[in-house]
Amino acid sequence: MMEANRDPDMEISAKSSTTAGDITPTHSVATEDVDSLPDYTHSYLSPPPFIKETVPCPGNTYIIRHPVTGRQITLERGELRLKHHTGEQGGYHWVCVEKGGWLGFYDPIHGTYMGRNNKGGYMAKVKHHAGWENFCARRHPDGGYLLLTSHWFCLMKMDVDKSGTKLVETFGEGKGTAWEFVKV
């Protein structure tokens, strides 16, 4: 039986004490190239904490995040990229609008809409919501929403390329990214 005024943490540390240099902590790394170390706060090894899921609806503003890396769809010189939060300069807030039943995502800072670029990717360079800026959001069974765009007689899914920073169109079962919509 433990005495009432004994600290259990002190008891554990006293039993497991060692001399300096006996144990190397699991987080220590010996390297000269600090830039080559993974960023565990935003890596595939450590997903960001769960955020309450939000359904994309017209009239609301969202940050659209990649569910594993926590990177957000950000407008950078007319091109859409996945970036970690880059401060308050803008380019990552998207106003959801509706036209003809299709969703559109409008950047209020630059006055442009997210859309297909006809090269297998996405951009935000035009100031209108027409066919190439039309999106449909489909609930994914594992959480989040697939973003779909029409391409002739099929729906293409917005996905991330191998570099993890560019947005690309993809087609087929099991493809596409299930995006998180964080209401702001």
Side-chain angles (χ1 to χ4, degrees):
M1 184 169 204
M2 190 180 260
E3 293 177 24
N5 58 355
R6 271 186 132 170
D7 182 358
D9 292 331
M10 291 298 288
E11 194 171 73
I12 291 170
S13 70
K15 289 179 184 175
S16 63
S17 72
T18 60
T19 59
D22 284 359
I23 297 177
T24 303
T26 58
H27 64 275
S28 69
V29 177
T31 182
E32 292 178 14
D33 185 9
V34 177
D35 293 334
S36 70
L37 296 175
D39 178 5
Y40 289 102
T41 60
H42 297 96
S43 75
Y44 290 99
L45 303 173
S46 172
F50 178 75
I51 292 177
K52 184 180 178 215
E53 186 167 291
T54 305
V55 179
C57 293
N60 295 311
T61 302
Y62 301 96
I63 292 172
I64 306 172
R65 291 177 12 130
H66 187 269
V68 176
T69 64
R71 292 180 180 182
Q72 49 207 26
I73 297 176
T74 304
L75 179 59
E76 188 175 76
R77 291 183 291 285
E79 299 299 322
L80 294 173
R81 301 277 185 245
L82 276 182
K83 308 279 280 185
H84 293 297
H85 184 73
T86 55
E88 301 304 319
Q89 83 279 359
Y92 55 90
H93 284 176
W94 299 97
V95 178
C96 184
V97 297
E98 182 178 7
K99 183 178 178 185
W102 291 95
L103 297 178
F105 296 98
Y106 175 77
D107 174 16
I109 301 293
H110 301 93
T112 57
Y113 286 85
M114 186 185 305
R116 295 178 43 242
N117 69 3
N118 199 31
K119 297 176 185 172
Y122 294 88
M123 63 178 186
K125 294 182 180 178
V126 298
K127 297 191 181 280
H128 58 265
H129 180 192
W132 288 28
E133 294 76 41
N134 286 339
F135 285 87
C136 173
R138 181 190 302 157
R139 175 86 169 84
H140 192 278
D142 295 330
Y145 289 84
L146 295 171
L147 281 177
L148 307 153
T149 56
S150 62
H151 183 82
W152 292 97
F153 301 107
C154 63
L155 290 174
M156 302 297 283
K157 298 171 186 168
M158 182 185 279
D159 207 350
V160 181
D161 75 347
K162 291 179 183 179
S163 75
T165 60
K166 291 184 182 179
L167 301 172
V168 295
E169 291 179 314
T170 188
F171 178 77
E173 290 183 34
K175 299 205 177 199
T177 296
W179 300 97
E180 292 177 340
F181 286 78
V182 180
K183 190 174 175 182
V184 292

